[in-house]
Amino acid sequence: MIRSALMNVMTAAALKAGRGLKRDFGEVENLVVSLKGPGDFVTAADKKAEAVLFEELSKSRPGYGFLMEEAGIVEGADKANRWIIDPLDGTTNFLHGLPLFAISIALERDGALIAGLVYNPATDDMYVAERGQGAWHNNRRLRVAPRRDFSESLVGCGIPHLGRAEEHPRFKTELAAVMAHALNVRRLGAASLDLAFIAAGRLDAFWERGLKAWDVAAGIVLVREAGGYVSEIEGGDAMLASGSICAGNEATLQRLMMLLRG
Ligand code: IPD
Ligand code: CA
Ligand code: CA
């Protein structure tokens, strides 16, 4: 486990916000079967979790800036440090009572990602990484899967939802290309967890387009610190800005990129 002061601050904030989310998730499980559904309730849970993270991190590290999904950018007096936060990644899962969602917190220092945390409060799974200190799942050190044979690789992806129908044709082409060569494909519904699962060697590769910085910032640190590789599908490293991302070990990532480029 990483016992740095920074990681203590991050885990304390995530555990506190996570307690609220877990309680609210219990309530959602009752609401999913009601006619009105849990939509508004989930929006409130999401905002509440973000407010807790903002408050806790501001208290422990005064002056740091923020980039958050709900509240957006909050400039800090300290221009070098910025938290990148998704208080609830996997909203659709949460809304449907599926226990696959997470709090995602990353710290960017002087433009570089130096720490990442992905926490699923439903299962109490904590994934953390800090530059030079490795990636960890609870108390276990993480390593990406060593598998090199793509035909044995389990590949995660993101599927553009109904509101992004214009992206469906390209996704179908990409899926067809990957299906023809990989063992199988998974769509789990929380990009931060997809990347944590790459770090943990559960998935061998992953790709998605159209993501936001808060979906991937923490996961990128996890993958890198677990010995894996992350890049844009097109090959650059502006994943936070472009939202295009693929990850894996050296071999699976190269193969996946080749397949996606057609
Ligand atoms: C979403 C999840 C999902 C991805 C979407 C994201 P949200 O985040 O990460 O896996 O496919 O593109 O928007 O909305 O649940 O925070
Ligand atoms: Ca998200
Ligand atoms: Ca979110």
Side-chain angles (χ1 to χ4, degrees):
M1 201 61 186
I2 303 169
R3 300 201 188 281
S4 67
L6 171 63
M7 204 43 78
N8 287 344
V9 162
M10 292 170 69
T11 48
L15 288 170
K16 183 157 185 194
R19 278 196 293 277
L21 274 186
K22 189 173 179 176
R23 254 194 324 269
D24 291 336
F25 184 62
E27 189 57 29
V28 165
E29 288 178 312
N30 298 324
L31 291 172
V32 274
V33 290
S34 75
L35 202 59
K36 187 166 168 284
D40 293 347
F41 179 81
V42 171
T43 310
D46 194 347
K47 293 208 164 112
K48 216 163 51 190
E50 188 173 280
V52 171
L53 294 170
F54 179 71
E55 192 188 319
E56 291 301 305
L57 294 171
S58 302
K59 235 190 297 174
S60 308
R61 289 290 184 272
Y64 282 22
F66 285 82
L67 170 63
M68 298 175 282
E69 180 173 18
E70 305 301 330
I73 295 173
V74 177
E75 299 280 356
D78 176 343
K79 300 295 174 206
N81 290 288
R82 179 166 79 147
W83 301 110
I84 303 178
I85 295 178
D86 190 342
L88 173 54
D89 186 43
T91 321
T92 307
N93 287 343
F94 189 94
L95 200 62
H96 285 255
L98 286 166
L100 263 177
F101 57 89
I103 289 170
S104 175
I105 307 173
L107 180 62
E108 190 181 53
R109 179 166 293 160
D110 299 319
L113 294 169
I114 63 153
L117 172 155
V118 174
Y119 176 55
N120 181 348
T123 55
D124 203 22
D125 283 305
M126 176 76 79
Y127 303 88
V128 297
E130 198 172 332
R131 199 164 58 184
Q133 311 246 21
W136 300 78
H137 170 212
N138 299 334
N139 291 316
R140 189 171 62 94
R141 180 98 190 228
L142 296 180
R143 229 20 241 172
V144 292
R147 212 162 283 117
R148 301 186 69 81
D149 188 342
F150 206 71
S151 67
E152 291 175 3
S153 294
L154 191 59
V155 182
C157 68
I159 305 178
H161 59 76
L162 182 59
R164 299 217 313 239
E166 71 286 355
E167 292 169 34
H168 289 185
R170 177 164 64 179
F171 173 74
K172 288 183 197 166
T173 307
E174 291 179 343
L175 179 63
V178 175
M179 277 171 74
H181 297 277
L183 175 68
N184 212 329
V185 179
R186 294 287 182 270
R187 197 300 189 237
L188 301 176
S192 61
L193 280 174
D194 285 311
L195 292 169
F197 291 168
I198 291 282
R202 294 171 174 168
L203 290 174
D204 298 293
F206 170 74
W207 92 98
E208 185 162 358
R209 296 179 186 275
L211 290 169
K212 301 290 189 198
W214 47 77
D215 296 316
V216 296
I220 289 172
V221 188
L222 284 166
V223 172
R224 287 181 176 153
E225 285 298 319
Y229 295 82
V230 187
S231 88
E232 291 177 276
I233 293 165
E234 300 71 21
D237 66 356
M239 293 81 69
L240 297 192
S242 69
S244 158
I245 190 165
C246 54
N249 66 31
E250 203 176 359
T252 56
L253 182 61
Q254 285 312 318
R255 186 84 171 100
L256 179 63
M257 283 168 78
M258 233 177 67
L259 292 168
L260 294 175
R261 287 177 194 174

